[in-house]
Amino acid sequence: MFYWLIELSNTVPGFGAFRSALNVFRYITFRTGGAMVTGALFVFLFGPWIIDHLRLRQGKGQPIRTDGPQSHLISKKGTPTMGGLMILSGLVVSTLLWANPLNPYVWIVLAVTLGFGFVGFYDDYLKVTKQSHSGFAGKLRLLIEAVIGLAATYALVRLGRDVSSTSLVIPFFKDLVINFGWFFVIFGAFVMVGAGNAVNLTDGLDGLAIVPVMIAAASFGMISYLTGNAVFSEYLQINYVAGTGELAVLCGAVLGAGLGFLWFNAPPASIFMGDTGSLALGGMLGATAVAVKHEIVLAVIGGLFVLEAVSVIVQVTSFKLTGKRVFRMAPLHHHFEQKGWTEPQIVIRFWIISVMLALAGLSTLKLR
């Protein structure tokens, strides 16, 4: 919306006097800050109403897994879920207000975010209405996510117009690029689906998932800005992808909405993110990474999500093959709960790890 004010000043007679003042809206950095503030304020203002509405509709709240930590059956019982609706609302409003509506990258990433969010919402809805932790059929859910990812990656490849759009860039190397051809569409979809479900597995403790998501969003906001700037990308010798700088605005909206949500999700949580939020935010990070050609860097910056997902894969594989468990409980954060770590200890230490991984991921921009 605000972006259109610039165009309006160039066409409407008598509006030219405000042109200089409105030029500030041309700067991505300014609009990213605006999206961040707007997202946070939206969730702060409407969060209590959304929580009360969800609590009234859900009654008993999110069903707690009986095979999880026994303390959760008491401490988290009755807490409403679908808090991702708060985040997505703030994200969408902020993006529509501050992003360039003519930029296709914004719409593609936003479509993935909302598509994954809808899948997560339906999963949460089934869990709440059935009062069971078994929601959407796993294979069908993955199939829908894969279709969304394939469509989004295909659209991103068509936007690219050159061989780099189907290539995988290896960090730390200037010229090491692997061209996947049209197989890249499958690879890109895998990145989006993997990111969505990795964040989903991480969302198991109050505040555990949202802060690493915000750290990753801030990191990819910077990467998007640099990748979409011809001067900076040339200086850093990273792939220049015209138009992706606008994704910094969307990342800023995620950061702001995430801050607002954390206010209500801080221990003890008033609301859970649910699959509605975790799948959507993970899909958003995956789609952004594919758009800016930093898929491997996502695995570094989002290393915490990778560890959580790998812990589940290792646990399930080990138990099926040997009948033994590698971890006391999976995902990884439950393993440390069983070892006696308190919830705040796990959450804050995982936040610290996320910051360190983000710094490592950002260092790849220069170390080439």
Side-chain angles (χ1 to χ4, degrees):
M1 176 184 283
F2 291 122
Y3 193 87
W4 285 110
L5 291 176
I6 305 169
E7 304 302 324
L8 186 64
S9 69
N10 294 326
T11 57
V12 178
F15 209 64
F18 299 98
R19 191 171 301 158
S20 297
L22 290 174
N23 271 337
V24 70
F25 290 99
R26 291 187 181 276
Y27 296 108
I28 291 175
T29 50
F30 177 81
R31 289 186 284 113
T32 298
M36 191 186 308
V37 173
T38 302
L41 286 176
F42 184 92
V43 178
F44 277 137
L45 292 174
F46 294 98
W49 179 85
I50 295 174
I51 292 172
D52 290 341
H53 186 73
L54 289 174
R55 182 179 288 115
L56 181 64
R57 288 299 186 104
Q58 294 178 13
K60 296 181 180 180
Q62 176 174 297
I64 308 301
R65 295 177 65 96
T66 55
D67 58 347
Q70 294 302 301
S71 61
H72 289 196
L73 295 174
I74 300 173
S75 62
K76 302 186 183 300
K77 185 178 180 180
T79 306
T81 186
M82 298 184 186
L85 291 173
M86 298 165 60
I87 304 172
L88 292 178
S89 299
L91 187 161
V92 170
V93 169
S94 301
T95 302
L96 293 180
L97 282 175
W98 294 98
N100 178 1
L102 299 179
N103 186 288
Y105 288 103
V106 171
W107 290 108
I108 292 171
V109 175
L110 197 58
V112 173
T113 305
L114 295 179
F116 276 45
F118 178 78
V119 173
F121 174 81
Y122 185 60
D123 194 45
D124 286 335
Y125 174 78
L126 292 177
K127 291 176 181 177
V128 170
T129 53
K130 295 180 179 179
Q131 277 301 297
S132 168
H133 63 264
S134 300
F136 209 169
K139 291 182 179 179
L140 179 58
R141 190 176 87 166
L142 287 173
L143 177 61
I144 297 174
E145 293 170 11
V147 170
I148 296 171
L150 288 169
T153 307
Y154 176 77
L156 291 171
V157 169
R158 291 299 299 269
L159 279 175
R161 298 194 186 95
D162 58 35
V163 69
S164 65
S165 63
T166 57
S167 299
L168 176 66
V169 179
I170 309 300
F172 297 110
F173 297 94
K174 296 178 181 179
D175 303 313
L176 185 52
V177 177
I178 302 174
N179 186 11
F180 283 175
W182 281 103
F183 179 74
F184 184 84
V185 174
I186 298 175
F187 174 76
F190 173 78
V191 171
M192 296 179 198
V193 174
N197 286 278
V199 174
N200 181 234
L201 290 171
T202 306
D203 183 32
L205 299 176
D206 298 346
L208 178 59
I210 188 60
V211 171
V213 164
M214 289 191 294
I215 293 170
S219 300
F220 270 94
M222 181 182 297
I223 293 173
S224 299
Y225 178 74
L226 297 173
T227 302
N229 186 294
V231 176
F232 290 145
S233 60
E234 174 65 25
Y235 171 71
L236 294 170
Q237 298 190 7
I238 59 178
N239 272 42
Y240 168 60
V241 186
T244 54
E246 203 68 29
L247 291 176
V249 180
L250 195 152
C251 289
V254 171
L255 183 55
L259 282 172
F261 175 75
L262 182 61
W263 182 268
F264 303 102
N265 188 236
S270 301
I271 190 168
F272 296 143
M273 183 190 300
D275 291 1
T276 308
S278 58
L279 278 178
L281 295 175
M284 173 267 170
L285 291 173
T288 302
V290 174
V292 300
K293 311 304 300 174
H294 280 73
E295 298 87 357
I296 294 180
V297 175
L298 174 63
V300 178
I301 293 176
L304 178 65
F305 306 131
V306 175
L307 288 173
E308 293 274 24
V310 169
S311 71
V312 173
I313 295 171
V314 170
Q315 186 85 325
V316 172
T317 303
S318 176
F319 187 76
K320 285 185 176 181
L321 294 178
T322 67
K324 296 180 180 179
R325 293 179 172 86
V326 176
F327 303 99
R328 295 187 181 184
M329 188 176 289
L332 191 60
H333 55 266
H334 289 327
H335 169 75
F336 289 107
E337 276 191 290
Q338 297 301 307
K339 290 189 67 174
W341 289 20
T342 64
E343 184 168 341
Q345 282 180 318
I346 298 170
V347 170
I348 294 174
R349 287 171 180 173
F350 277 34
W351 290 354
I352 294 171
I353 292 172
S354 294
V355 172
M356 296 171 66
L357 289 170
L359 293 175
L362 291 173
S363 71
T364 66
L365 296 176
K366 186 58 179 173
L367 301 177
R368 291 175 182 263

